[in-house]
Amino acid sequence: MTRRSILVTGGSRGIGAAIAREFAQAGDQIAIHYVSAQPVADEVCKSLVGDGHITAQADLRDADAIRTMVEQVAKEFGKIDVLINNAGVFVDHPIEATTYEQWQDAWAQTIGINLIGAANISWCALQHMPKNGTSRIVNIGSRGAFRGEPLSPAYGASKAAIVAFGQSIAKALAPMHIGVTTLAPGFVETEMASRLLDGPEGDGIRAQSPFNRVARPDELAKAVYFLASPDNEWASGAVLDFNGASYLRM
Ligand SMILES: NC(=O)c1ccc[n+]([C@@H]2O[C@H](COP(=O)([O-])OP(=O)(O)OC[C@H]3O[C@@H](n4cnc5c(N)ncnc54)[C@H](OP(=O)(O)O)[C@@H]3O)[C@@H](O)[C@H]2O)c1
């Protein structure tokens, strides 16, 4: 298969780093995006199989920074075949126990990064995507889009919106043979989930799945690789539940 150029947002840690490893293993060239963890992003970059991988910094709340970062990646690689919208935040702000100021801050941050950031980077990346059937956008959503997120309602809303965003642009980009899909995981062993998984609620969370565990990042990475495959145009518009049967919906 031709070597593709992959931009993974939030590739410095957790699921994003695992996705970067999976594509690199398959021979692709990776841009690892991060916001502040440069040494960690550099380490991940150096550890990837193959050559020509780079890191790229931008705060996804800053539309101009996103554009500059995507232009740099496109200049380096000549094109962007695959965008993985993975970067995201989960901020606690239960409605019954949050001040109005905290509430507004949590919504601005969460929607700004998880949704508007992903929308802006998608627009910028599209300018550099070949229209030959090899280009894909994969969004990392969440089971929380469907199940509800009482601790972080803005997170649930952002993940429901990324599903609608992905389905909308799947229709818009089909004439260009660009496929767009969304993965909707349950809990995954990463820093984002560690506070809950390592705390008193951890066993209860693992028991949500009849497998009595949560996902590993490498399991998600394989699913993302499948969704982004050039052979997988017909998956466009799909939302893949990926939660160990912990939350089933029709
Ligand atoms: N972990 C779970 O249980 C779980 C479950 C379902 C869905 N997800 C989704 O999976 C995705 C990855 O989650 P994860 O658990 O791997 O997260 P994580 O370990 O907390 O990593 C978050 C990533 O997002 C980046 N990021 C944070 N704020 C940013 C900002 N303002 N601008 C740009 N990038 C920013 C971070 O960059 P730095 O390293 O530079 O800070 C980091 O690379 C997220 O979309 C999350 O919602 C996670």
Side-chain angles (χ1 to χ4, degrees):
M1 196 198 292
T2 320
R3 190 179 204 205
R4 293 192 297 171
S5 303
I6 319 291
L7 172 55
V8 185
T9 70
S12 47
R13 291 190 266 135
I15 296 163
I19 292 170
R21 287 193 190 98
E22 187 70 26
F23 281 84
Q25 191 70 44
D28 292 325
Q29 187 173 31
I30 321 295
I32 296 183
H33 158 267
Y34 65 97
V35 61
S36 55
Q38 184 178 3
V40 187
D42 285 344
E43 274 309 304
V44 174
C45 192
K46 272 190 243 149
S47 74
L48 296 180
V49 173
D51 55 12
H53 311 302
I54 59 172
T55 58
Q57 194 277 339
D59 190 326
L60 291 193
R61 289 168 294 190
D62 182 339
D64 291 336
I66 288 175
R67 193 178 217 166
T68 303
M69 184 272 288
V70 172
E71 293 299 319
Q72 281 166 357
V73 172
K75 196 170 168 204
E76 191 76 29
F77 289 169
K79 63 188 168 98
I80 298 173
D81 296 287
V82 177
L83 168 66
I84 313 293
N85 278 318
N86 164 77
V89 291
F90 183 106
V91 183
D92 281 6
H93 57 286
I95 191 167
E96 70 284 6
T98 300
T99 67
Y100 192 41
E101 289 69 28
Q102 290 166 334
W103 178 256
Q104 289 172 61
D105 183 57
W107 275 86
Q109 208 189 134
T110 307
I111 299 294
I113 297 167
N114 296 9
L115 178 62
I116 300 174
N120 285 343
I121 204 162
S122 300
W123 189 96
C124 294
L126 177 64
Q127 315 309 313
H128 304 282
M129 283 189 163
K131 292 15 178 213
N132 60 4
T134 60
S135 301
R136 302 283 179 260
I137 297 175
V138 182
N139 299 313
I140 307 301
S142 170
R143 176 185 69 167
F146 314 107
R147 185 193 62 150
E149 289 288 358
L151 273 183
S152 186
Y155 182 84
S158 73
K159 295 302 187 178
I162 202 89
V163 168
F165 168 65
Q167 290 182 327
S168 301
I169 64 168
K171 280 195 174 276
L173 300 182
M176 299 174 203
H177 295 281
I178 297 174
V180 185
T181 51
T182 302
L183 187 74
F187 272 101
V188 189
E189 280 169 8
T190 70
E191 278 174 50
M192 180 184 275
S194 62
R195 180 176 53 85
L196 289 170
L197 294 175
D198 298 342
E201 293 149 282
D203 285 345
I205 290 170
R206 283 177 279 278
Q208 289 172 4
S209 163
F211 293 101
N212 200 30
R213 68 174 181 90
V214 299
R216 297 185 313 271
D218 64 288
E219 292 177 292
L220 271 73
K222 287 186 169 47
V224 170
Y225 187 79
F226 163 76
L227 289 173
S229 159
D231 300 332
N232 218 355
E233 178 172 284
W234 216 241
S236 197
V239 180
L240 178 60
D241 287 331
F242 203 79
N243 63 43
S246 63
Y247 185 75
L248 301 176
R249 65 191 176 100
M250 295 293 283

